[in-house]
Amino acid sequence: MLRRLIVIVTAAILFNSSLTLAESKKPIAPDKFPPSPLEITTPDPLLPRLPKDKQSLTLEERQKLEPALDALNQEAAAKLQAGEQVAAFEIWNRELRLRRFLGSLAEVQALSRVGAIAWKENDSPEVQYITQRLQAIQKQAESQKTTAKIDLELWRSLGEAYQNVRSPKLAVEAYNQVLLMVRQQKNPIALVEILKTIGEIHLSWFDYRKAAPIYEELLGLATSQGERVNEVTYLQRLADIYEQTNQPQQSLNVLNKLANIYVNENNLTEIPQLKLAIASDYESLAKKDPNLLLEAFKNYQEAYTTAWQLQEYVRAGEALQKLIALYRSQGQTDEALQASQILVQTQTQAANFYGMMQAYDQIGQLYLERKEFPQALTAFKKGLELAQQLKYEEAYFTGKIEKLSKANL
């Protein structure tokens, strides 16, 4: 019995000691991310001697290393093609570790190539490793002074690499360095090229507000150099940007410039759509300045007139619909009714039976507002005829007709 008691007491002491020891030691938090395979420093058979500054290869070493790394790239691509993705990126990571000994530019270009593949294959860890390495190279480039030529090429490659791993913010940072150098060199061709690249990145990620000043500068350059084709392209881009960002005044400025160009070139086919957009901007601005409604009316009418002349009846109908809606919003029923009757003719020319049906419905509604019931009844009956042909909305028109017929009995 005594022996059993001693065992129990001893076990309790050991348990309490273990508990105290466990409480005194905090658990070791696991690494959030595994170490990057691009930072492994184990000597490689292809490069047994690791240069101290990582870029002091002899000519002979470089001549042997370059084709060997190209062969690794081909081997990795073959593995990926065979469905061995893990093995493929292990080989590519080995290639990338060794590429850094050929210089920053060669490494960035290789990182860019593999990064594009990693993104396509949805390999998020690999994309992260490559992005981190690119940022390390960028930081190093910022701290070192090199020749302008090397800087320019390196920063361009960094920008492209960041694009390949879908890091638009970092890509723009890199390209902004290129932009700074190009401005200093006063190279107009390179300036336009880099501005377009930055602008396209902003647009591809729907960052319209940051894209706007880029395309405004491009527009200014094209205008000053008399490049009409590019001027029109940038105006179109800006029109879309200002529409997306709901900036009607800026949009209006751009659209009016476009309209003037098209009129001067006698390119009337673009006018109806432009006039519709211009009228819409005036309508938006009229919320603060009602006097601008006259400009909205004027441009909707010009959109309709030009479209009719061009026999673009669908566009003409669209302009009339906008005009009718504006008339009705201002309580101008007579004008809305007159435009609706013209709309019937326009939709007839366009052979748009659905549009004709809607126009007759609209006419019926307007006559009801004026309490001219016989005319409304006639309009709804014509709408019903079209509805029966289309086999659509028949019950709606039948209900309108029955209600009016009973009211007149």
Side-chain angles (χ1 to χ4, degrees):
M1 182 68 179
L2 180 61
R3 183 177 178 183
R4 182 180 178 188
L5 181 61
I6 293 170
V7 170
I8 293 171
V9 171
T10 304
I13 293 170
L14 289 173
F15 176 78
N16 289 333
S17 299
S18 300
L19 183 61
T20 305
L21 182 61
E23 289 176 348
S24 66
K25 289 186 177 181
K26 293 182 180 179
I28 300 173
D31 291 338
K32 188 174 181 182
F33 298 107
S36 171
L38 301 183
E39 301 304 325
I40 296 173
T41 56
T42 305
D44 191 283
L46 290 177
L47 196 64
R49 180 189 72 85
L50 293 180
K52 292 182 180 180
D53 61 1
K54 296 186 178 182
Q55 291 188 16
S56 59
L57 293 179
T58 65
L59 179 60
E60 183 181 359
E61 287 173 327
R62 179 178 290 273
Q63 288 175 340
K64 288 181 179 180
L65 185 60
E66 287 180 348
L69 296 184
D70 291 340
L72 284 179
N73 175 38
Q74 293 174 2
E75 182 184 350
K79 289 283 187 183
L80 186 64
Q81 184 71 25
E84 300 177 41
Q85 182 171 324
V86 173
F89 280 105
E90 286 178 354
I91 296 169
W92 267 316
N93 286 333
R94 182 188 177 196
E95 178 209 345
L96 293 175
R97 289 194 296 270
L98 294 171
R99 284 282 180 189
R100 71 174 63 185
F101 296 106
L102 298 178
S104 294
L105 180 59
E107 183 184 1
V108 168
Q109 290 171 342
L111 287 165
S112 180
R113 165 172 46 81
V114 179
I117 298 169
W119 177 266
K120 183 179 178 182
E121 298 299 324
N122 199 29
D123 191 332
S124 298
E126 185 70 23
V127 170
Q128 183 184 19
Y129 300 142
I130 289 174
T131 304
Q132 289 173 345
R133 180 57 192 158
L134 288 169
Q135 288 178 290
I137 296 170
Q138 177 179 338
K139 187 175 181 180
Q140 184 181 19
E142 288 169 347
S143 64
Q144 292 178 346
K145 290 184 179 180
T146 55
T147 65
K149 183 177 180 181
I150 294 175
D151 258 355
L152 197 59
E153 196 171 0
L154 175 61
W155 284 103
R156 281 185 190 277
S157 296
L158 276 168
E160 184 178 346
Y162 283 133
Q163 282 185 271
N164 284 342
V165 293
R166 304 306 192 275
S167 293
K169 184 178 178 181
L170 293 172
V172 170
E173 285 180 12
Y175 285 128
N176 277 336
Q177 293 296 319
V178 178
L179 180 61
L180 181 63
M181 287 182 275
V182 165
R183 290 192 194 281
Q184 291 172 350
Q185 294 173 358
K186 296 182 179 180
N187 184 337
I189 296 175
L191 177 60
V192 169
E193 179 187 346
I194 193 62
L195 284 172
K196 286 169 66 176
T197 299
I198 295 172
E200 287 166 5
I201 292 174
H202 287 317
L203 286 184
S204 66
W205 290 88
F206 308 106
D207 198 341
Y208 296 107
R209 292 194 179 275
K210 288 183 180 178
I214 300 296
Y215 282 100
E216 287 285 4
E217 183 173 356
L218 283 168
L219 174 63
L221 291 170
T223 303
S224 64
Q225 294 168 10
E227 298 175 350
R228 183 54 56 87
V229 174
N230 287 333
E231 185 179 0
V232 169
T233 298
Y234 301 141
L235 283 168
Q236 290 171 336
R237 288 286 177 88
L238 284 166
D240 182 56
I241 288 169
Y242 291 133
E243 180 185 358
Q244 294 291 339
T245 53
N246 193 26
Q247 298 184 73
Q249 185 58 64
Q250 289 85 342
S251 173
L252 198 56
N253 296 339
V254 169
L255 292 171
N256 278 321
K257 289 178 182 177
L258 265 177
N260 288 334
I261 290 174
Y262 289 137
V263 169
N264 290 335
E265 294 179 348
N266 200 31
N267 183 6
L268 299 182
T269 56
E270 303 291 340
I271 296 299
Q273 182 63 29
L274 272 178
K275 289 294 181 179
L276 280 171
I278 289 170
S280 179
D281 285 336
Y282 274 123
E283 200 171 344
S284 296
L285 292 170
K287 293 174 183 177
K288 292 184 178 180
D289 183 0
N291 293 325
L292 294 175
L293 272 178
L294 292 175
E295 290 296 328
F297 279 118
K298 174 187 172 185
N299 280 278
Y300 281 135
Q301 289 166 347
E302 289 179 359
Y304 161 73
T305 303
T306 308
W308 181 272
Q309 291 172 349
L310 295 170
Q311 298 183 350
E312 294 181 2
Y313 300 116
V314 173
R315 190 75 70 200
E318 184 181 349
L320 282 170
Q321 288 282 21
K322 296 284 188 180
L323 191 58
I324 292 164
L326 190 54
Y327 278 135
R328 295 187 76 172
S329 71
Q330 300 304 304
Q332 297 177 248
T333 307
D334 290 347
E335 289 81 356
L337 184 56
Q338 184 179 2
S340 296
Q341 290 165 341
I342 298 172
L343 179 60
V344 171
Q345 300 173 19
T346 305
Q347 301 291 25
T348 301
Q349 289 291 334
N352 183 355
F353 296 102
Y354 179 77
M356 291 165 62
M357 182 188 73
Q358 286 187 312
Y360 278 122
D361 179 36
Q362 195 162 241
I363 291 171
Q365 298 288 352
L366 289 166
Y367 275 127
L368 283 179
E369 290 179 20
R370 291 170 47 155
K371 302 188 183 304
E372 296 180 10
F373 302 117
Q375 291 88 338
L377 184 60
T378 301
F380 287 131
K381 284 181 178 179
K382 290 181 178 179
L384 177 59
E385 290 175 8
L386 290 161
Q388 289 170 338
Q389 293 180 43
L390 295 169
K391 298 186 183 303
Y392 182 76
E393 295 285 8
E394 296 175 63
Y396 168 80
F397 284 101
T398 300
K400 288 286 186 182
I401 292 167
E402 288 177 354
K403 187 175 180 180
L404 275 171
S405 298
K406 289 177 182 179
N408 290 330
L409 289 176

